Amino acid sequence: MRGRLTPRDPMHPVAWAREDLPGWARRHRWFLVVLGLGALLRLVTVIGYRPALWFPDSYTYVVTAMRPRPDLVRPAGYSMFLRLLEAFHSFALVVTVQHVLGLLVGVMLYVTVLRRGGPPWAAVLACVPVLLDAYQIELEHLLVSDSLFTFLLVGAVCLAMRRPLTPRSAAALGLVLAAATLTRTVGLPLVAVFALFLLAYGVRRAAGESGPGGESGSVRPGRAVARLTVPFLVAALLPVAGYAGWFYATYERVGLVGSNGVFLYARTMSFADCSVMKPPPDLAVLCDPRPPAARPASQEYIWNAQSPLVRLPGITFTKETDTLAGRFASLAIRSQPLAFVRTTLTELGRSFTPGRPVYPDAATYGYYEFPATVPPPPGRHPAVVGKEFAQRYEGGPITVRIAEPFAGLMRAYQDVAWLPGTALLVILLVPPAAWAVRAGPARRAPARRTTGAAGETGAAWTRLVPQNHASSNRAPANWGIAWATAWALLLVPAATAQFDYRYVLPAVPLACLAAALSVRGPGRRARTP
């Protein structure tokens, strides 16, 4: 009988680690360099700006965390994240956790690209924007929901790419996406995107083209689809429905927030022409007589005291006001559909500008810059009230303390280290361009025959649904779900609110993931890091 292993034995975990760690570090040295630089930059930020940086929305999040109830404008997911950390009475800890989430996003991207068979150099490059972009680091240091939302959404996409997909993993995917939706409502339409992805995967699995574990195609299409989509939809929609029930019990209104009509009204004011719309008298009070070119940014119609909507009696987000604003927006879109499409494309195009022009106004733009001086205290009444709750959360003052030279280093770094909008557009164009390059030879090659309606349908989804290891030599790794999600994150705010630099950053890691997966050379097998 063999005795206990000692550290000298090659099979002992300590001895194994000594032998394997240097080789592992050499294989992943470039990623470790990028990850280390990202961690160092975040450490400098934490030292330079204490305890955290504030955005106007931050105070509302803190109020909801300290006094749990649904908010009319924002879902409470991020507030519950704050509440989990409330016992430590430290906003510095909150942003430190957000920085760690940012680093973990980079790790998830790197591991997923390698597991799906992408080249190591592409895996490293995919991580660079999320780990080293100064605006990404600044966003993580703000008390806003975007860092948590990005982590959850990237986690959902990476989970969707793991193999094999089972009912349990589909349910886990639904729960992660539900958490993302309750953090930012833009996640709700993504439930449909992921459901479509699972539908396609189930069809292809039934067709036997690339099912997990090499199934032969004997599974019925309906059963294969239901095994994944049903647990996914149940897990994704039940938490959302529960939150909607809480919201209804609080306000007697259906929904997750009570501001959809208001925000859509503000969005349509970029083109709404009442002479074309001919609104009834109750809607005519929301008209702006100025031509669209002379009007302010959309957000001014929500927060500016001179907005026709804000001048109405009561608070802006009452049920009556939100319903009225929604009716006006619906009429504007029906009356001027081409104008709505044109202005949506204009807002979307702001994501791809070569520079970083000031938009929507200097005040909002300034919140995304590392400040050189201590920011002034909040002026709006809700934020003033929120400041009192924030001081209770912190257990002391929340005034930003700027420590030089660390803060100055980050300001100088932010001047040069950021991803231009045109670069993001190029990254988004890489996957379809790579697909087109590969599709040419594939069209000229003899097509593999598939039988049955399920086989024909499955072939149509080849580029959307992930490939398993056996088929990784024949087709690029899956990039469709990451690519579609990135575009949705850019398009939905442009169509329903307005462009904001803050809304672009969560789409960047998914665009990079899609690009890294699309450039995988033929014949490369998926690998385990």
Side-chain angles (χ1 to χ4, degrees):
M1 180 175 175
R2 186 175 180 180
R4 295 179 60 185
L5 294 176
T6 67
R8 295 179 179 273
D9 194 306
M11 296 304 294
H12 192 278
V14 174
W16 180 86
R18 288 173 181 168
E19 293 295 327
D20 194 64
L21 276 178
W24 179 88
R26 283 194 299 271
R27 290 196 304 273
H28 305 290
R29 60 188 179 277
W30 290 113
F31 170 72
L32 294 176
V33 168
V34 174
L35 182 66
L37 287 175
L40 179 61
L41 290 168
R42 285 160 174 81
L43 177 61
V44 172
T45 301
V46 169
I47 297 173
Y49 294 96
R50 292 173 287 177
L53 295 176
W54 292 82
F55 193 78
D57 297 357
S58 305
Y59 301 99
T60 304
Y61 288 126
V62 174
V63 170
T64 305
M66 298 294 286
R67 190 180 59 192
R69 62 180 306 207
D71 184 69
L72 285 170
V73 181
R74 303 164 191 90
Y78 181 69
S79 295
M80 296 303 100
F81 168 77
L82 294 178
R83 189 169 180 83
L84 287 175
L85 301 173
E86 189 265 337
F88 298 96
H89 298 291
S90 173
F91 286 116
L93 175 64
V94 172
V95 295
T96 299
V97 172
Q98 292 181 176
H99 286 309
V100 172
L101 295 181
L103 294 173
L104 289 177
V105 168
V107 173
M108 287 191 292
L109 295 179
Y110 182 74
V111 171
T112 299
V113 173
L114 292 186
R115 281 181 172 172
R116 299 303 301 150
W121 62 266
V124 174
L125 289 179
C127 305
V128 169
V130 72
L131 292 178
L132 302 184
D133 188 313
Y135 285 97
Q136 178 68 45
I137 298 172
E138 201 272 350
L139 187 66
E140 294 169 11
H141 210 65
L142 280 170
L143 292 168
V144 290
S145 62
D146 299 80
S147 297
L148 177 62
F149 176 75
T150 301
F151 173 77
L152 292 170
L153 200 54
V154 172
V157 170
C158 293
L159 181 60
M161 293 183 180
R162 289 184 63 88
R163 289 295 165 267
L165 274 178
T166 64
R168 181 176 298 180
S169 60
L173 176 60
L175 289 174
V176 175
L177 202 56
T181 299
L182 297 180
T183 302
R184 275 190 56 196
T185 52
V186 71
L188 187 58
L190 295 177
V191 173
V193 175
F194 278 76
L196 185 63
F197 157 74
L198 291 174
L199 173 66
Y201 178 87
V203 170
R204 289 202 57 216
R205 180 176 179 178
E209 292 188 14
S210 59
E215 292 93 342
S216 63
S218 61
V219 181
R220 294 181 180 179
R223 182 179 177 184
V225 169
R227 287 184 71 248
L228 297 178
T229 55
V230 170
F232 166 76
L233 290 174
V234 169
L237 297 180
L238 269 185
V240 174
Y243 184 87
W246 186 28
F247 187 86
Y248 183 83
T250 304
Y251 299 108
E252 295 187 355
R253 297 168 65 176
V254 176
L256 302 179
V257 294
S259 57
N260 291 327
V262 169
F263 275 85
L264 192 58
Y265 160 77
R267 168 67 184 81
T268 59
M269 291 308 291
S270 63
F271 66 87
D273 185 344
C274 285
S275 65
V276 176
M277 295 167 52
K278 296 180 173 53
D282 63 332
L283 296 182
V285 298
L286 299 181
C287 293
D288 188 338
R290 293 174 293 182
R295 296 174 187 172
S298 295
Q299 68 175 17
E300 294 299 312
Y301 288 92
I302 303 173
W303 310 113
N304 193 301
Q306 300 306 313
S307 164
L309 189 71
V310 180
R311 290 201 304 263
L312 294 178
I315 64 172
T316 306
F317 302 107
T318 62
K319 182 178 181 179
E320 294 74 21
T321 301
D322 188 64
T323 301
L324 190 72
R327 288 175 52 212
F328 183 98
S330 178
L331 178 61
I333 294 171
R334 295 197 311 270
S335 303
Q336 301 172 266
L338 294 181
F340 174 66
V341 172
R342 175 178 52 79
T343 54
T344 297
L345 294 177
T346 299
E347 292 295 302
L348 177 64
R350 299 183 192 277
S351 303
F352 310 125
T353 52
R356 195 177 172 91
V358 176
Y359 189 85
D361 55 49
T364 302
Y365 183 90
Y367 286 114
Y368 306 135
E369 302 278 338
F370 285 112
T373 59
V374 176
R380 291 177 179 167
H381 175 70
V384 173
V385 174
K387 180 181 177 182
E388 298 175 0
F389 281 91
Q391 290 171 338
R392 286 170 47 190
Y393 186 104
E394 178 74 9
I398 60 171
T399 303
V400 178
R401 300 185 297 278
I402 300 178
E404 302 293 353
F406 303 100
L409 287 174
M410 292 310 300
R411 292 194 299 272
Y413 182 77
Q414 193 172 34
D415 289 338
V416 296
W418 52 278
L419 184 73
T422 48
L424 174 59
L425 179 60
V426 171
I427 292 170
L428 285 167
L429 292 178
V430 167
W435 175 83
V437 169
R438 287 188 172 92
R443 282 195 298 267
R444 291 190 294 270
R448 184 179 61 178
R449 181 177 299 275
T450 57
T451 60
E456 296 172 2
T457 306
W461 290 95
T462 299
R463 301 304 174 186
L464 177 64
V465 182
Q467 310 299 309
N468 66 0
H469 298 353
S471 63
S472 62
N473 294 331
R474 300 192 300 270
N478 169 63
W479 49 263
I481 187 64
W483 190 76
T485 303
W487 275 108
L489 290 174
L490 297 173
L491 184 59
V492 172
T496 59
Q498 68 174 25
F499 165 80
D500 194 303
Y501 289 106
R502 172 184 163 196
Y503 299 154
V504 174
L505 288 176
V508 171
L510 296 174
C512 293
L513 176 60
L517 291 173
S518 70
V519 298
R520 181 165 61 94
R524 178 178 292 274
R525 294 181 178 272
R527 55 180 292 186
T528 301

